[in-house]
Amino acid sequence: MKKNATVDADKRLEILLAGTPLEPSGDFLRRVCEACLDEMIDAKLAQMPVEPRADFADRVMAEISSGNNVVAFPRRFSAFRRAFRVSAAGVAAALAVTVGIFSLKPQATSLNEQVASVISADPELARLALPDDDFTLSELVAASELLTALNDNSSQTADFFAYYEN
């Protein structure tokens, strides 16, 4: 059974547009301008077609062979440029090697210097170490492993100390 009701087209269009408003895509303006530009270029080319002169190739070859064309074909300074490039590369390499050699930080060679660097790198070990204590490297490694284990299992460690505290 059909409904026999008249539909107002403008009202129906307004309802549809209210639900999904029309928005141009982000590249709409670019596409329209490109289409207009293509049509304008085609019209201009149809009015004035681009054709080279009959003697174009002969004139270009005559200009090249005349020898006055230093800008397009620089040959005079090629040996100087090559020598300059090689010498500049050599100076840059020598400078890089010099900076690399002198910027290397000397490593701690004695065991006491290694222990001091380990203590300064770990703040918890630095708090444990007194200035007059002489820890060996193995003692520092064992203390660091103990602190790491206690830190990784902090809830179990807190329960353990709470149990023994009471």
Side-chain angles (χ1 to χ4, degrees), residues 58-137:
D58 295 332
R59 288 187 307 134
V60 169
M61 292 308 294
E63 186 68 29
I64 290 173
S65 63
S66 70
N68 296 330
N69 198 355
V70 178
V71 175
F73 299 98
R75 294 181 187 203
R76 260 190 323 186
F77 301 109
S78 63
F80 173 72
R81 286 183 186 165
R82 190 175 315 120
F84 179 73
R85 285 185 203 147
V86 169
S87 62
V91 168
L95 182 65
V97 168
T98 305
V99 168
I101 289 173
F102 287 111
S103 68
L104 292 176
K105 185 177 168 184
Q107 299 293 325
T109 55
S110 70
L111 184 60
N112 288 336
E113 290 176 355
Q114 290 178 359
V115 170
S117 67
V118 168
I119 289 176
S120 65
D122 193 347
E124 292 175 341
L125 284 177
R127 278 187 252 138
L128 287 176
L130 298 174
D132 56 343
D133 286 342
D134 289 330
F135 287 114
T136 63
L137 189 59

Side-chain angles (χ1 to χ4, degrees), residues 143-154 156-157:
S144 178
E145 288 174 356
L146 177 66
L147 289 173
T148 303
L150 292 175
N151 199 19
D152 288 344
N153 303 316
S154 59
Q156 294 174 355
T157 305

Side-chain angles (χ1 to χ4, degrees), residues 5-15:
T6 58
V7 177
D8 185 15
D10 291 334
K11 187 175 182 180
R12 176 90 174 147
L13 184 60
E14 287 177 9
I15 292 171

